[in-house]
Amino acid sequence: MKLLFSRKKEPKKRLWSIELPILLLIVSAVFALQAFYEASRLDIAQEKFETMEAKAEAAAAERGSRIPLRAQDPQTAVYAPAILSQYAELAQQNPEFYGWIKIDNTNVNYPVMHTPNDPEKYLQLNFEGEYSRAGTIFMDHRCSAESDNLILYGHNMKNKTMFGSILNYKDAAYWREHPVIQFDTLYEHREYEVLAAFFDHVYNKSDTCFKYYNFIEAADTDAFNKAIRIYREKAIYDTGVSVQYGDQLLTLSTCAYHTENGRFAVIARRCQVLPQNKGE
């Protein structure tokens, strides 16, 4: 009786031994296709950004650096600032477009969005407002053009797009080759010299320590100097860049996976003249 029972079960075992590898193969194929699809979408998104940048440069070359001033109120003769011509069309396409960030010879070459009333709107939206896993670079909703520290957020993408490549600043050699970050607003070309790069993490709300992602306005000279001191303490290497109260800072922030809720930050100081390459 036991022998008969055992023989009846054997065909099902053999069938399962055949089905399991097939099932695993199908699942693997589905994941592979999904990964390929996502990679294709990211490539298309990157191409769109490159096309936008090329059009912006062409517009600037054709029309000059700025579009004409336009009066806000003819009676009081108060004028709006002149929009840089290369960004005029982009500003018309999306009024939430704030500026453009670029680091020469890297993937960082993107529009920057700003939505004060919807802080993370572009976390998973592209410039056109469509879903995108890569999202779009955006500025902290608490910032304004003249804030002491402008904080920009971007995803750490595996293909090194968006802010995936800024983690390369963990190496001093990379910083020497890329010491300058260009961040234009709609109205002004701006350049920032890298001051510090470091790993950090998101703290509990109850923690009273310095949180780099909350430093936007310095209450006074002491508060500003404290922030600079902490940046230097956290920094992986010394850039030797000097900074003083009144200088505007730029912070690039992205996720890092060295710890739970890890972050990587690059801090830069606004400069008026293009600094010499540190590698020279």
Side-chain angles (χ1 to χ4, degrees), residues 16 46 132 143 146 185 218 225 235 258:
W16 180 245
Q46 187 69 12
S132 170
C143 294
E146 302 308 321
T185 68
N225 290 339
H258 60 290

Side-chain angles (χ1 to χ4, degrees), residues 179-190:
V180 177
I181 300 170
Q182 301 170 48
F183 177 41
D184 295 344
T185 68
L186 283 175
Y187 312 103
E188 189 175 17
H189 293 296
R190 296 184 177 186

